[in-house]
């Protein structure tokens, strides 16, 4: 993928309008390349459409200690015949590297229904130690992902219930 194409993906109007919920990740329930992932320690969102041609997916892996946990986010574009192309892989491993990403820029990789193995890796700023097991920290990671991908994070808050006792 050329830098110009990657820039077009980032610049496309994209909006995340719902706060994703995580469910236990079962093998074979998600499309390629995620179909082989799963197990008791893994939790994933459904695929969420953020534009006419883009989807996101988040998953995290639990562990006994913080160092054993991780968080992942994927920005995917739609390809022919219901295939997906990963445009951006977001990784958070508390044990090493911090927040980093992979992009298929300046490579000849065929990324159709595949992870970005061998793609260039970039570090992203973010020094706060986040715990993927904590829902608030997962939200912070999703916001960081949206910032990096050019996705408007416009989640509607629950309306405040009126005070029925007028206090």
């Amino acid at each position: 993928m050329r830098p110009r194409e990657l820039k077009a993906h980032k610049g496309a109007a994209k909006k995340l309008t719902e706060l994703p919920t995580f469910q236990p990740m079962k093998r074979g329930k998600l499309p390629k390349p995620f179909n082989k992932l799963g197990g008791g320690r893994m939790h994933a969102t459904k695929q969420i459409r953020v534009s006419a041609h883009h989807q996101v997916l988040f998953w995290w892996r639990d562990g006994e200690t913080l160092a054993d946990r991780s968080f992942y986010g994927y920005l995917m574009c739609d390809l022919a015949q219901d295939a997906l192309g990963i445009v951006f892989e977001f990784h958070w491993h508390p044990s090493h590297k911090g927040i980093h990403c992979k992009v298929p820029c300046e490579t000849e990789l065929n990324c159709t229904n595949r992870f970005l193995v061998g793609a260039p890796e970039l570090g992203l700023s973010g020094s706060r130690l986040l715990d993927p097991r904590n829902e608030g920290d997962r939200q912070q990671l999703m916001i960081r992902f949206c910032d990096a991908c050019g996705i408007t994070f416009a989640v509607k808050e629950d309306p405040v219930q009126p005070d029925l006792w007028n206090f």
Side-chain angles (χ1 to χ4, degrees):
M1 185 176 289
R2 302 256 183 259
R4 188 174 293 166
E5 294 171 290
L6 193 58
K7 187 175 181 179
H9 283 291
K10 182 175 181 177
K14 299 176 294 301
K15 185 183 273 189
L16 184 64
T17 58
E18 63 181 86
L19 191 57
T21 57
F22 290 82
Q23 302 294 325
M25 191 176 196
K26 296 183 176 157
R27 283 185 176 86
K29 297 292 182 186
L30 293 170
K32 286 183 181 180
F34 308 101
N35 60 333
K36 296 192 190 272
L37 298 174
R41 292 179 30 193
M42 300 175 88
H43 301 78
T45 65
K46 63 181 182 173
Q47 289 173 255
I48 303 164
R49 185 146 303 275
V50 292
S51 80
H53 304 289
H54 295 93
Q55 301 176 51
V56 296
L57 175 88
F58 301 101
W59 66 273
W60 69 281
R61 180 176 31 229
D62 201 357
E64 290 183 26
T65 66
L66 179 61
D68 296 332
R69 300 176 195 145
S70 55
F71 180 90
Y72 301 85
Y74 296 89
L75 174 64
M76 302 165 287
C77 64
D78 300 328
L79 301 174
Q81 300 172 342
D82 293 328
L84 294 172
I86 295 178
V87 178
F88 186 87
E89 265 187 35
F90 179 92
H91 296 212
W92 167 237
H93 308 284
S95 64
H96 68 289
K97 292 188 186 180
I99 298 174
H100 57 284
C101 68
K102 291 183 177 183
V103 291
C105 193
E106 298 288 332
T107 67
E108 298 300 321
L109 297 172
N110 177 358
C111 298
T112 304
N113 292 331
R114 294 181 154 179
F115 292 112
L116 300 179
V117 176
E121 192 173 293
L122 308 168
L124 297 173
S125 63
S127 59
R128 185 170 167 243
L129 193 59
L130 299 168
D131 185 352
R133 184 183 277 181
N134 179 290
E135 185 177 343
D137 286 357
R138 283 195 308 270
Q139 288 177 12
Q140 290 301 312
L141 288 162
M142 287 186 276
I143 290 168
R144 182 67 181 102
F145 168 86
C146 289
D147 287 345
C149 293
I151 299 171
T152 303
F153 193 77
V155 175
K156 296 177 186 169
E157 296 290 329
D158 289 336
V160 175
Q161 296 296 323
D163 183 2
L164 299 177
W165 298 102
N166 295 322
F167 288 111

